[in-house]
Coordinates of all heavy atoms in Angstrom, one line a residue:
K3 N 15.3 38.9 57.1 CA 13.9 39.2 56.8 C 13.9 40.7 56.5 O 14.5 41.5 57.3 CB 13.0 38.9 57.9 CG 12.7 37.5 58.1 CD 11.5 37.3 59.0 CE 11.1 35.9 59.0 NZ 10.1 35.6 60.0
E9 N 4.4 52.1 51.5 CA 3.1 52.8 51.4 C 2.5 52.6 50.0 O 3.1 52.9 49.1 CB 3.2 54.2 51.8 CG 3.5 54.4 53.3 CD 3.4 55.9 53.5 OE1 2.7 56.6 52.8 OE2 4.1 56.3 54.4
T14 N -8.9 53.3 42.7 CA -10.1 52.5 42.3 C -10.6 53.0 40.9 O -10.6 54.2 40.7 CB -11.2 52.6 43.3 OG1 -11.5 54.0 43.5 CG2 -10.9 52.1 44.7
P16 N -13.3 53.8 38.2 CA -14.8 54.0 38.2 C -15.5 52.9 37.6 O -15.0 52.1 36.8 CB -14.9 55.3 37.3 CG -13.6 55.3 36.5 CD -12.6 54.6 37.3
G30 N -33.4 55.8 25.7 CA -33.5 55.2 24.4 C -34.6 54.1 24.5 O -35.3 54.0 23.4
L32 N -37.3 54.3 26.3 CA -38.5 55.1 26.3 C -38.9 55.6 24.8 O -40.1 55.5 24.4 CB -38.5 56.3 27.2 CG -38.6 56.0 28.7 CD1 -38.5 57.3 29.5 CD2 -39.8 55.3 29.0
V34 N -38.0 54.1 22.1 CA -38.5 53.0 21.2 C -39.9 52.6 21.6 O -40.7 52.3 20.7 CB -37.5 51.7 21.5 CG1 -38.1 50.4 21.0 CG2 -36.1 52.0 20.9
I35 N -40.3 52.6 22.8 CA -41.6 52.3 23.3 C -42.6 53.4 22.7 O -43.7 53.0 22.2 CB -41.7 52.2 24.8 CG1 -41.0 50.9 25.3 CG2 -43.1 52.2 25.3 CD1 -40.8 50.9 26.8
K43 N -50.7 53.0 16.8 CA -51.9 53.9 16.7 C -52.1 54.3 15.3 O -53.3 54.3 14.8 CB -51.7 55.2 17.6 CG -51.8 54.9 19.1 CD -53.1 54.3 19.5 CE -53.1 53.9 21.0 NZ -54.4 53.3 21.3
R44 N -51.1 54.5 14.6 CA -51.2 54.8 13.1 C -51.9 53.7 12.3 O -52.7 53.8 11.5 CB -49.9 55.2 12.5 CG -49.4 56.5 12.8 CD -48.1 56.9 12.0 NE -47.6 58.2 12.4 CZ -46.5 58.7 11.9 NH1 -45.8 58.0 11.2 NH2 -46.1 59.9 12.4
A45 N -51.4 52.5 12.6 CA -52.0 51.2 12.0 C -53.4 51.1 12.4 O -54.2 50.7 11.5 CB -51.1 50.0 12.4
I47 N -55.5 53.5 13.2 CA -56.3 54.6 12.5 C -56.4 54.2 11.1 O -57.5 54.4 10.5 CB -55.5 56.0 12.6 CG1 -55.6 56.4 14.1 CG2 -56.0 56.9 11.7 CD1 -54.7 57.6 14.4
L48 N -55.4 53.7 10.4 CA -55.5 53.2 9.0 C -56.5 52.1 8.9 O -57.3 52.1 7.9 CB -54.1 52.8 8.4 CG -53.1 53.9 8.2 CD1 -51.7 53.2 7.8 CD2 -53.6 54.8 7.1
I50 N -59.1 51.6 10.8 CA -60.4 52.2 11.0 C -60.8 52.9 9.8 O -62.0 52.9 9.3 CB -60.4 53.2 12.3 CG1 -60.2 52.3 13.6 CG2 -61.6 54.0 12.3 CD1 -60.0 53.2 14.8
N51 N -59.9 53.7 9.1 CA -60.2 54.4 7.9 C -60.6 53.4 6.8 O -61.6 53.7 6.1 CB -59.1 55.2 7.5 CG -58.9 56.5 8.3 OD1 -59.8 56.9 9.0 ND2 -57.7 57.1 8.3
M52 N -59.9 52.3 6.7 CA -60.2 51.4 5.6 C -61.6 50.8 5.9 O -62.4 50.6 5.1 CB -59.2 50.3 5.5 CG -57.9 50.8 4.8 SD -56.8 49.4 4.4 CE -56.1 49.0 5.9
N54 N -64.1 52.2 7.6 CA -65.0 53.2 7.4 C -65.2 53.4 5.8 O -66.3 53.5 5.4 CB -64.5 54.5 8.0 CG -65.5 55.6 7.9 OD1 -66.7 55.3 8.1 ND2 -65.1 56.8 7.8
L57 N -67.4 50.5 4.7 CA -68.7 50.7 5.1 C -69.5 51.8 4.3 O -70.7 51.6 3.9 CB -68.8 51.1 6.6 CG -68.5 50.0 7.5 CD1 -68.4 50.5 9.0 CD2 -69.5 48.8 7.5
K59 N -68.8 52.5 1.2 CA -69.1 51.9 -0.1 C -70.3 51.0 0.0 O -71.1 51.0 -0.9 CB -67.8 51.1 -0.5 CG -68.0 50.4 -1.9 CD -66.7 49.7 -2.2 CE -66.9 48.9 -3.5 NZ -65.9 48.0 -3.8
Q60 N -70.3 50.2 1.0 CA -71.5 49.3 1.2 C -72.8 50.1 1.3 O -73.9 49.7 0.8 CB -71.3 48.4 2.4 CG -70.3 47.3 2.2 CD -70.1 46.4 3.5 OE1 -70.6 46.7 4.5 NE2 -69.3 45.4 3.3
V69 N -83.0 52.5 -4.1 CA -83.6 53.3 -5.2 C -84.1 52.5 -6.4 O -85.2 52.8 -6.9 CB -82.6 54.4 -5.7 CG1 -83.0 55.1 -7.0 CG2 -82.2 55.4 -4.5
L71 N -85.1 49.3 -6.2 CA -86.3 48.6 -5.8 C -87.5 49.6 -5.8 O -88.6 49.2 -6.1 CB -86.0 47.9 -4.5 CG -85.0 46.7 -4.5 CD1 -84.8 46.3 -3.1 CD2 -85.7 45.6 -5.3
Y77 N -93.0 51.2 -10.9 CA -93.3 50.7 -12.2 C -94.3 49.6 -12.2 O -95.3 49.6 -12.9 CB -92.0 50.2 -12.8 CG -92.2 49.5 -14.2 CD1 -92.6 50.2 -15.3 CD2 -92.2 48.1 -14.2 CE1 -92.8 49.5 -16.5 CE2 -92.4 47.4 -15.4 CZ -92.7 48.1 -16.6 OH -92.9 47.5 -17.7
Q84 N -102.8 50.1 -14.8 CA -103.1 50.0 -16.2 C -103.9 48.7 -16.6 O -104.8 48.7 -17.3 CB -101.9 50.1 -17.1 CG -101.3 51.5 -17.2 CD -100.1 51.5 -18.1 OE1 -99.7 50.5 -18.7 NE2 -99.5 52.7 -18.3

Side-chain angles (χ1 to χ4, degrees):
K3 283 191 176 179
E9 287 188 30
T14 57
L32 284 179
V34 168
I35 292 171
K43 290 299 177 187
R44 283 184 184 177
I47 289 170
L48 288 174
I50 290 171
N51 285 342
M52 286 194 287
N54 191 31
L57 288 175
K59 181 181 175 188
Q60 287 178 353
V69 168
L71 290 172
Y77 172 75
Q84 284 181 2

